[in-house]
Amino acid sequence: MSDHEIAEKCLDYIGKNQTPYFGENGELFRGIKESHGVLYALAGFLAKTTHNSLSCLEIGSFAGASALTWAWCAETLFDRAGGVMCLDPWDEIKGNAMAPENSQYTTAYLAQIYEIFLANVKYAEFGPSITHHKTGIEEFQQNIPRQKFNVIYIDGDHAYESVTRDILIASEMLEQDGILCGDDLSLQADEVDVNALEEAINSKQQFAQDSKTGLNFHPGVTGAVWKTLGKVSKYGATWYMQKSHSNWKPIDLTGEAVKFPPHYPDIE
Ligand SMILES: C[S@@+](CC[C@H](N)C(=O)[O-])C[C@H]1O[C@@H](n2cnc3c(N)ncnc32)[C@H](O)[C@@H]1O
């Protein structure tokens, strides 16, 4: 089945069943189950500090899987207090930068995904609001410069320049003690062949296999996170740091409860 057909099927299913849906095999559920458990643990970590509501900014929402997870976290861990602001142009990414193998993130496809995002948000039965802007963070900050969030999750374009920009602007929009986090940091820069990393970034490779570890990774994410934050806390490919005045503090999630959201596809 083509990406378009899968998207059409999903939209049809959501309309008929009035429930969030990400495909029979979870095709539109970007991110693995484990990473959603980490988002829950991070929200739990935040709930234990002075924060009494979860105000999340998400960069890169696609069909809404992680946005729904953040809203569910606000619902369950913050007594429904908070909301999720989603940023995504839902428009073609030049050079097919984000598309997994065999997928095409064309304008037409992302227009379909946007419809699915809207439908998933509509039928998600969470109290906290999920709102969105069809822009990236640069334009959002220009329009709403003073808005602050206590969690910012970066999962947009994975090119080096884009991730660098997203991290730098997000750092300004994050509250004190807030959490900056993101997806797809499979390897940190001190784990990979640095010369090959530089080469992969310069030649704008979206995916690469590291010769030192033999593992696949996103050079743009690895390079940008290292340049802006240095070594970060991470579990799986999800990375996170806590803002502390002009610095960043590592986060230890040991002992934090882990749960998985109800919209996780039943595919195991
Ligand atoms: C990996 S997907 C996000 C998956 C989503 N977080 C989830 O878990 O379901 C990446 C998304 O980033 C979006 N994107 C691309 N460039 C962006 C930008 N500059 N700002 C925000 N989002 C962007 C794409 O349209 C795509 O929907």
Side-chain angles (χ1 to χ4, degrees):
M1 208 183 302
S2 74
D3 286 343
H4 283 289
E5 285 164 341
I6 291 170
E8 251 165 51
K9 246 183 119 174
C10 283
L11 199 50
D12 191 49
Y13 183 97
I14 298 167
K16 280 189 182 130
N17 296 279
Q18 310 210 332
T19 183
Y21 184 63
F22 296 91
E24 201 175 331
N25 298 305
E27 293 91 337
L28 302 186
F29 198 95
R30 291 286 181 262
I32 53 173
K33 183 173 185 176
E34 182 187 68
S35 66
H36 288 251
V38 180
L39 305 190
Y40 182 87
L42 284 171
F45 175 87
L46 204 62
K48 284 204 302 215
T49 64
T50 55
H51 299 270
N52 51 16
S53 81
L54 184 76
S55 58
C56 176
L57 177 67
E58 170 169 282
I59 303 168
S61 295
F62 198 66
S66 49
L68 263 55
T69 295
W70 286 117
W72 167 73
C73 289
E75 167 109 2
T76 54
L77 291 164
F78 291 83
D79 202 16
R80 313 185 104 200
V84 186
M85 167 63 72
C86 302
L87 303 182
D88 194 318
W90 284 284
D91 199 358
E92 182 184 16
I93 300 168
K94 299 226 165 26
N96 200 15
M98 276 298 312
E101 222 182 318
N102 302 326
S103 292
Q104 290 291 319
Y105 278 24
T106 59
T107 301
Y109 178 59
L110 282 162
Q112 272 183 312
I113 295 298
Y114 177 58
E115 292 305 315
I116 293 168
F117 167 84
L118 292 177
N120 276 334
V121 166
K122 179 175 169 189
Y123 293 117
E125 286 180 348
F126 302 133
S129 67
I130 302 175
T131 46
H132 72 278
H133 282 256
K134 280 182 101 174
T135 71
I137 194 168
E138 215 161 10
E139 202 179 324
F140 179 71
Q141 193 200 32
Q142 278 160 15
N143 293 335
I144 311 176
R146 272 186 282 278
Q147 191 156 355
K148 297 262 185 190
F149 300 88
N150 58 22
V151 173
I152 303 185
Y153 178 61
I154 299 177
D155 192 19
D157 182 4
H158 288 14
Y160 174 78
E161 295 75 13
S162 305
V163 183
T164 302
R165 171 208 59 212
D166 289 348
I167 292 176
L168 294 177
I169 299 179
S171 307
E172 292 170 12
M173 302 188 86
L174 191 64
E175 283 174 11
Q176 206 47 248
D177 297 324
I179 294 174
L180 184 63
C181 53
D183 194 24
D184 287 327
L185 181 67
S186 332
L187 293 169
Q188 305 212 45
D190 61 347
E191 298 171 298
V192 303
D193 174 338
V194 180
N195 292 331
L197 170 65
E198 216 174 295
E199 217 175 288
I201 291 172
N202 289 340
S203 59
K204 305 207 178 301
Q205 274 181 56
Q206 294 302 317
F207 303 99
Q209 187 180 33
D210 171 48
S211 59
K212 215 161 129 187
T213 59
L215 299 173
N216 291 330
F217 73 118
H218 291 78
V221 178
T222 295
V225 169
W226 190 260
K227 183 191 163 199
T228 51
L229 303 167
K231 188 137 182 119
V232 292
S233 310
K234 78 191 266 286
Y235 189 92
T238 308
W239 60 268
Y240 36 87
M241 291 296 272
Q242 186 173 32
K243 187 170 176 174
S244 167
H245 303 285
S246 55
N247 259 320
W248 294 100
K249 269 198 313 206
I251 296 174
D252 183 3
L253 291 181
T254 311
E256 287 299 336
V258 170
K259 284 188 185 170
F260 302 102
H263 55 279
Y264 183 79
D266 194 11
I267 49 177
E268 283 167 314

